[in-house]
mmCIF file with all atom_site columns, all heavy atoms in Angstrom:
data_model
loop_
_atom_site.group_PDB
_atom_site.id
_atom_site.type_symbol
_atom_site.label_atom_id
_atom_site.label_alt_id
_atom_site.label_comp_id
_atom_site.label_asym_id
_atom_site.label_entity_id
_atom_site.label_seq_id
_atom_site.pdbx_PDB_ins_code
_atom_site.Cartn_x
_atom_site.Cartn_y
_atom_site.Cartn_z
_atom_site.occupancy
_atom_site.B_iso_or_equiv
_atom_site.pdbx_formal_charge
_atom_site.auth_seq_id
_atom_site.auth_comp_id
_atom_site.auth_asym_id
_atom_site.auth_atom_id
_atom_site.pdbx_PDB_model_num
ATOM 1  N N   . SER K 1 54 ? -1.612  -23.055 -18.210 1.00 83.00 ? 54 SER K N   1
ATOM 2  C CA  . SER K 1 54 ? -1.932  -22.318 -19.432 1.00 83.00 ? 54 SER K CA  1
ATOM 3  C C   . SER K 1 54 ? -1.830  -23.209 -20.665 1.00 83.00 ? 54 SER K C   1
ATOM 4  O O   . SER K 1 54 ? -2.382  -22.894 -21.707 1.00 83.00 ? 54 SER K O   1
ATOM 5  C CB  . SER K 1 54 ? -1.009  -21.107 -19.572 1.00 83.00 ? 54 SER K CB  1
ATOM 6  O OG  . SER K 1 54 ? 0.280   -21.532 -19.941 1.00 83.00 ? 54 SER K OG  1
ATOM 7  N N   . LEU K 1 55 ? -1.123  -24.325 -20.530 1.00 86.00 ? 55 LEU K N   1
ATOM 8  C CA  . LEU K 1 55 ? -0.965  -25.216 -21.670 1.00 86.00 ? 55 LEU K CA  1
ATOM 9  C C   . LEU K 1 55 ? -1.975  -26.361 -21.653 1.00 86.00 ? 55 LEU K C   1
ATOM 10 O O   . LEU K 1 55 ? -1.943  -27.241 -22.499 1.00 86.00 ? 55 LEU K O   1
ATOM 11 C CB  . LEU K 1 55 ? 0.457   -25.798 -21.705 1.00 86.00 ? 55 LEU K CB  1
ATOM 12 C CG  . LEU K 1 55 ? 1.582   -24.756 -21.827 1.00 86.00 ? 55 LEU K CG  1
ATOM 13 C CD1 . LEU K 1 55 ? 2.935   -25.413 -21.676 1.00 86.00 ? 55 LEU K CD1 1
ATOM 14 C CD2 . LEU K 1 55 ? 1.490   -24.014 -23.147 1.00 86.00 ? 55 LEU K CD2 1
ATOM 15 N N   . HIS K 1 56 ? -2.850  -26.357 -20.643 1.00 82.00 ? 56 HIS K N   1
ATOM 16 C CA  . HIS K 1 56 ? -3.809  -27.444 -20.518 1.00 82.00 ? 56 HIS K CA  1
ATOM 17 C C   . HIS K 1 56 ? -5.241  -26.922 -20.498 1.00 82.00 ? 56 HIS K C   1
ATOM 18 O O   . HIS K 1 56 ? -5.492  -25.781 -20.107 1.00 82.00 ? 56 HIS K O   1
ATOM 19 C CB  . HIS K 1 56 ? -3.553  -28.251 -19.241 1.00 82.00 ? 56 HIS K CB  1
ATOM 20 C CG  . HIS K 1 56 ? -2.305  -29.072 -19.303 1.00 82.00 ? 56 HIS K CG  1
ATOM 21 N ND1 . HIS K 1 56 ? -1.049  -28.512 -19.251 1.00 82.00 ? 56 HIS K ND1 1
ATOM 22 C CD2 . HIS K 1 56 ? -2.127  -30.407 -19.440 1.00 82.00 ? 56 HIS K CD2 1
ATOM 23 C CE1 . HIS K 1 56 ? -0.151  -29.474 -19.339 1.00 82.00 ? 56 HIS K CE1 1
ATOM 24 N NE2 . HIS K 1 56 ? -0.769  -30.634 -19.460 1.00 82.00 ? 56 HIS K NE2 1
ATOM 25 N N   . GLN K 1 57 ? -6.145  -27.795 -20.914 1.00 75.00 ? 57 GLN K N   1
ATOM 26 C CA  . GLN K 1 57 ? -7.559  -27.477 -20.771 1.00 75.00 ? 57 GLN K CA  1
ATOM 27 C C   . GLN K 1 57 ? -7.958  -27.845 -19.370 1.00 75.00 ? 57 GLN K C   1
ATOM 28 O O   . GLN K 1 57 ? -7.768  -28.983 -18.936 1.00 75.00 ? 57 GLN K O   1
ATOM 29 C CB  . GLN K 1 57 ? -8.375  -28.292 -21.790 1.00 75.00 ? 57 GLN K CB  1
ATOM 30 C CG  . GLN K 1 57 ? -9.802  -27.827 -21.925 1.00 75.00 ? 57 GLN K CG  1
ATOM 31 C CD  . GLN K 1 57 ? -9.862  -26.394 -22.429 1.00 75.00 ? 57 GLN K CD  1
ATOM 32 O OE1 . GLN K 1 57 ? -9.217  -26.070 -23.406 1.00 75.00 ? 57 GLN K OE1 1
ATOM 33 N NE2 . GLN K 1 57 ? -10.593 -25.541 -21.748 1.00 75.00 ? 57 GLN K NE2 1
ATOM 34 N N   . TRP K 1 58 ? -8.559  -26.933 -18.669 1.00 64.00 ? 58 TRP K N   1
ATOM 35 C CA  . TRP K 1 58 ? -8.565  -27.090 -17.230 1.00 64.00 ? 58 TRP K CA  1
ATOM 36 C C   . TRP K 1 58 ? -9.570  -26.138 -16.629 1.00 64.00 ? 58 TRP K C   1
ATOM 37 O O   . TRP K 1 58 ? -9.775  -25.041 -17.138 1.00 64.00 ? 58 TRP K O   1
ATOM 38 C CB  . TRP K 1 58 ? -7.166  -26.694 -16.773 1.00 64.00 ? 58 TRP K CB  1
ATOM 39 C CG  . TRP K 1 58 ? -6.796  -27.264 -15.474 1.00 64.00 ? 58 TRP K CG  1
ATOM 40 C CD1 . TRP K 1 58 ? -6.211  -28.456 -15.247 1.00 64.00 ? 58 TRP K CD1 1
ATOM 41 C CD2 . TRP K 1 58 ? -6.990  -26.636 -14.231 1.00 64.00 ? 58 TRP K CD2 1
ATOM 42 N NE1 . TRP K 1 58 ? -6.040  -28.621 -13.916 1.00 64.00 ? 58 TRP K NE1 1
ATOM 43 C CE2 . TRP K 1 58 ? -6.508  -27.523 -13.266 1.00 64.00 ? 58 TRP K CE2 1
ATOM 44 C CE3 . TRP K 1 58 ? -7.551  -25.418 -13.829 1.00 64.00 ? 58 TRP K CE3 1
ATOM 45 C CZ2 . TRP K 1 58 ? -6.555  -27.225 -11.927 1.00 64.00 ? 58 TRP K CZ2 1
ATOM 46 C CZ3 . TRP K 1 58 ? -7.596  -25.133 -12.499 1.00 64.00 ? 58 TRP K CZ3 1
ATOM 47 C CH2 . TRP K 1 58 ? -7.097  -26.037 -11.561 1.00 64.00 ? 58 TRP K CH2 1
ATOM 48 N N   . SER K 1 59 ? -10.239 -26.549 -15.567 1.00 59.00 ? 59 SER K N   1
ATOM 49 C CA  . SER K 1 59 ? -11.065 -25.550 -14.879 1.00 59.00 ? 59 SER K CA  1
ATOM 50 C C   . SER K 1 59 ? -11.053 -25.807 -13.393 1.00 59.00 ? 59 SER K C   1
ATOM 51 O O   . SER K 1 59 ? -10.767 -26.917 -12.943 1.00 59.00 ? 59 SER K O   1
ATOM 52 C CB  . SER K 1 59 ? -12.503 -25.577 -15.395 1.00 59.00 ? 59 SER K CB  1
ATOM 53 O OG  . SER K 1 59 ? -13.248 -26.532 -14.692 1.00 59.00 ? 59 SER K OG  1
ATOM 54 N N   . LEU K 1 60 ? -11.357 -24.782 -12.622 1.00 55.00 ? 60 LEU K N   1
ATOM 55 C CA  . LEU K 1 60 ? -11.301 -24.906 -11.161 1.00 55.00 ? 60 LEU K CA  1
ATOM 56 C C   . LEU K 1 60 ? -12.211 -26.008 -10.658 1.00 55.00 ? 60 LEU K C   1
ATOM 57 O O   . LEU K 1 60 ? -11.910 -26.680 -9.691  1.00 55.00 ? 60 LEU K O   1
ATOM 58 C CB  . LEU K 1 60 ? -11.709 -23.594 -10.513 1.00 55.00 ? 60 LEU K CB  1
ATOM 59 C CG  . LEU K 1 60 ? -10.624 -22.517 -10.379 1.00 55.00 ? 60 LEU K CG  1
ATOM 60 C CD1 . LEU K 1 60 ? -11.211 -21.264 -9.793  1.00 55.00 ? 60 LEU K CD1 1
ATOM 61 C CD2 . LEU K 1 60 ? -9.490  -23.021 -9.509  1.00 55.00 ? 60 LEU K CD2 1
ATOM 62 N N   . ALA K 1 61 ? -13.345 -26.194 -11.342 1.00 57.00 ? 61 ALA K N   1
ATOM 63 C CA  . ALA K 1 61 ? -14.309 -27.168 -10.856 1.00 57.00 ? 61 ALA K CA  1
ATOM 64 C C   . ALA K 1 61 ? -14.075 -28.554 -11.465 1.00 57.00 ? 61 ALA K C   1
ATOM 65 O O   . ALA K 1 61 ? -14.347 -29.564 -10.840 1.00 57.00 ? 61 ALA K O   1
ATOM 66 C CB  . ALA K 1 61 ? -15.724 -26.700 -11.172 1.00 57.00 ? 61 ALA K CB  1
ATOM 67 N N   . GLY K 1 62 ? -13.533 -28.588 -12.679 1.00 56.00 ? 62 GLY K N   1
ATOM 68 C CA  . GLY K 1 62 ? -13.436 -29.839 -13.422 1.00 56.00 ? 62 GLY K CA  1
ATOM 69 C C   . GLY K 1 62 ? -12.366 -30.786 -12.898 1.00 56.00 ? 62 GLY K C   1
ATOM 70 O O   . GLY K 1 62 ? -11.510 -30.412 -12.098 1.00 56.00 ? 62 GLY K O   1
ATOM 71 N N   . GLN K 1 63 ? -12.435 -32.023 -13.361 1.00 61.00 ? 63 GLN K N   1
ATOM 72 C CA  . GLN K 1 63 ? -11.485 -33.033 -12.905 1.00 61.00 ? 63 GLN K CA  1
ATOM 73 C C   . GLN K 1 63 ? -10.371 -33.274 -13.918 1.00 61.00 ? 63 GLN K C   1
ATOM 74 O O   . GLN K 1 63 ? -9.205  -33.183 -13.616 1.00 61.00 ? 63 GLN K O   1
ATOM 75 C CB  . GLN K 1 63 ? -12.221 -34.360 -12.646 1.00 61.00 ? 63 GLN K CB  1
ATOM 76 C CG  . GLN K 1 63 ? -13.348 -34.252 -11.640 1.00 61.00 ? 63 GLN K CG  1
ATOM 77 C CD  . GLN K 1 63 ? -12.841 -33.938 -10.251 1.00 61.00 ? 63 GLN K CD  1
ATOM 78 O OE1 . GLN K 1 63 ? -11.802 -34.429 -9.853  1.00 61.00 ? 63 GLN K OE1 1
ATOM 79 N NE2 . GLN K 1 63 ? -13.578 -33.131 -9.508  1.00 61.00 ? 63 GLN K NE2 1
ATOM 80 N N   . GLY K 1 64 ? -10.781 -33.581 -15.144 1.00 65.00 ? 64 GLY K N   1
ATOM 81 C CA  . GLY K 1 64 ? -9.803  -33.989 -16.139 1.00 65.00 ? 64 GLY K CA  1
ATOM 82 C C   . GLY K 1 64 ? -8.983  -32.832 -16.655 1.00 65.00 ? 64 GLY K C   1
ATOM 83 O O   . GLY K 1 64 ? -9.421  -31.695 -16.700 1.00 65.00 ? 64 GLY K O   1
ATOM 84 N N   . THR K 1 65 ? -7.762  -33.135 -17.061 1.00 73.00 ? 65 THR K N   1
ATOM 85 C CA  . THR K 1 65 ? -6.944  -32.131 -17.707 1.00 73.00 ? 65 THR K CA  1
ATOM 86 C C   . THR K 1 65 ? -6.437  -32.710 -19.013 1.00 73.00 ? 65 THR K C   1
ATOM 87 O O   . THR K 1 65 ? -6.257  -33.916 -19.145 1.00 73.00 ? 65 THR K O   1
ATOM 88 C CB  . THR K 1 65 ? -5.742  -31.731 -16.845 1.00 73.00 ? 65 THR K CB  1
ATOM 89 O OG1 . THR K 1 65 ? -5.034  -32.922 -16.517 1.00 73.00 ? 65 THR K OG1 1
ATOM 90 C CG2 . THR K 1 65 ? -6.165  -31.019 -15.590 1.00 73.00 ? 65 THR K CG2 1
#
Side-chain angles (χ1 to χ4, degrees):
Chain K
S54 74
L55 300 173
H56 289 72
Q57 192 62 50
W58 203 88
S59 86
L60 277 177
Q63 303 293 323
T65 54

